[in-house]
Amino acid sequence: MVKKLAFVASRGPRAREARDDLAARYGSVPEDEADVIIALGGDGFMLSTLHRTQHLHAPVYGMNRGTVGFLMNEYHDDDLMERVETAEHALINPLAMRATRADGKVTEALAINEVSLLRAGPQAAKLRISVDGKIRMEELVCDGALLATPAGSTAYNYSAHGPILPIDADVLALTAIAPFRPRRWRGALIPVASHVRFDVLEPEKRPVMADADSRSVTNVHSVEIVSEPKVVHRLLFDPGHGLEERLIREQFL
């Protein structure tokens, strides 16, 4: 039974006003003492909240007080305790990125939505793609490429014409961003347990940056990506509006 709530909000005035009103109405405790964390904002704030609280046991229930709310529930200030009590649970494993820069520095980060590589100069990037140690594409000329989770498949991946994946799919979406060669390559579905590696070709002439949920690394020479089953993010959704339903509904808009 849910007894203690922690309210957190993005910097937007609507989110902060909602946080203050709800905290006064329902009471608020620190995140590490809460049964449920209530996140008020948009999808970007939800991602940052999930990353920040991944070491805590409490699941996160979001309400939309931002501009995009795919990961959020509708905002209502009534019956919050009942909504949280009856909410559906969704479990998400992030991707683990290991990016190596030209100077040898290695950056590791987790991504709930996707890991993306993007050209950082006027010329198209050239990438070599390997899966489980086997080269699958010798040269992809493009503006970039990304590897998306099912939960993130409706975000940047979908904008880049990648597929929407069912939330329980055991695959990841590998999608090119504005591919030039091969011109007709439509991406690939990769088993979730795969080890994916991107090598940047001609990095001095064609610099590339990597990004994992807004944590960016410049001048990368290689990026390795695997799913991280040891990290589990727990989200709550109103009944009938869980991630599975949202992912299906998104395909008919």
Side-chain angles (χ1 to χ4, degrees), residues 87 91 93 117 119 121 141 184 237:
L91 305 179
N93 301 119
L117 284 79
R119 79 176 194 182
V141 183
R184 297 184 182 277
F237 294 95

Side-chain angles (χ1 to χ4, degrees), residues 95-155:
L95 299 174
M97 176 189 77
R98 179 181 173 89
T100 303
R101 287 169 39 103
D103 59 8
K105 181 180 178 181
V106 174
T107 299
E108 297 182 349
L110 297 177
I112 295 169
N113 273 357
E114 77 278 320
V115 174
S116 56
L117 284 79
L118 303 166
R119 79 176 194 182
Q123 292 186 293
K126 286 187 176 182
L127 305 174
R128 182 170 61 234
I129 303 173
S130 302
V131 179
D132 293 333
K134 183 175 182 178
I135 296 176
R136 292 294 183 178
M137 184 166 289
E138 286 284 357
E139 183 177 280
L140 172 65
V141 183
C142 56
D143 278 356
L146 60 86
L147 190 67
T149 65
S153 63
T154 62

Side-chain angles (χ1 to χ4, degrees), residues 1-190:
M1 181 176 179
V2 175
K3 297 181 180 180
K4 297 179 290 184
L5 303 177
F7 293 93
V8 294
S10 67
R11 296 181 180 180
R14 289 201 313 157
R16 294 194 172 198
E17 181 180 354
R19 177 197 60 195
D20 294 342
D21 290 344
L22 292 170
R25 183 170 182 175
Y26 295 97
S28 184
V29 299
E31 293 175 350
D32 59 358
E33 298 177 14
D35 297 312
V36 176
I37 297 169
I38 309 296
L40 301 159
D43 280 350
F45 182 69
M46 171 60 89
L47 291 176
S48 66
T49 300
L50 291 171
H51 283 299
R52 192 185 71 255
T53 63
Q54 68 184 37
H55 63 290
L56 301 177
H57 180 71
V60 180
Y61 179 93
M63 287 199 289
N64 190 12
R65 292 280 84 185
T67 55
V68 180
F70 184 80
L71 297 175
M72 314 298 278
N73 299 285
E74 290 186 4
Y75 178 80
H76 300 294
D77 55 6
D78 293 325
D79 302 325
L80 179 58
M81 297 299 290
E82 290 81 359
R83 291 173 71 188
V84 171
E85 288 279 4
T86 59
E88 300 176 1
H89 287 249
L91 305 179
I92 296 175
N93 301 119
L95 299 174
M97 176 189 77
R98 179 181 173 89
T100 303
R101 287 169 39 103
D103 59 8
K105 181 180 178 181
V106 174
T107 299
E108 297 182 349
L110 297 177
I112 295 169
N113 273 357
E114 77 278 320
V115 174
S116 56
L117 284 79
L118 303 166
R119 79 176 194 182
Q123 292 186 293
K126 286 187 176 182
L127 305 174
R128 182 170 61 234
I129 303 173
S130 302
V131 179
D132 293 333
K134 183 175 182 178
I135 296 176
R136 292 294 183 178
M137 184 166 289
E138 286 284 357
E139 183 177 280
L140 172 65
V141 183
C142 56
D143 278 356
L146 60 86
L147 190 67
T149 65
S153 63
T154 62
Y156 194 4
N157 172 70
Y158 193 44
S159 297
H161 306 292
I164 294 179
L165 305 176
I167 190 60
D168 57 353
D170 289 329
V171 296
L172 305 171
L174 199 167
T175 302
I177 302 168
F180 181 67
R181 289 286 187 275
R183 190 179 294 276
R184 297 184 182 277
W185 190 59
R186 303 302 297 174
L189 296 179
I190 306 296

Side-chain angles (χ1 to χ4, degrees), residues 219-233:
N219 297 319
V220 296
H221 270 209
S222 66
V223 177
E224 298 172 77
I225 310 166
V226 295
S227 181
E228 181 46 87
K230 294 181 181 179
V231 178
V232 180
H233 299 288

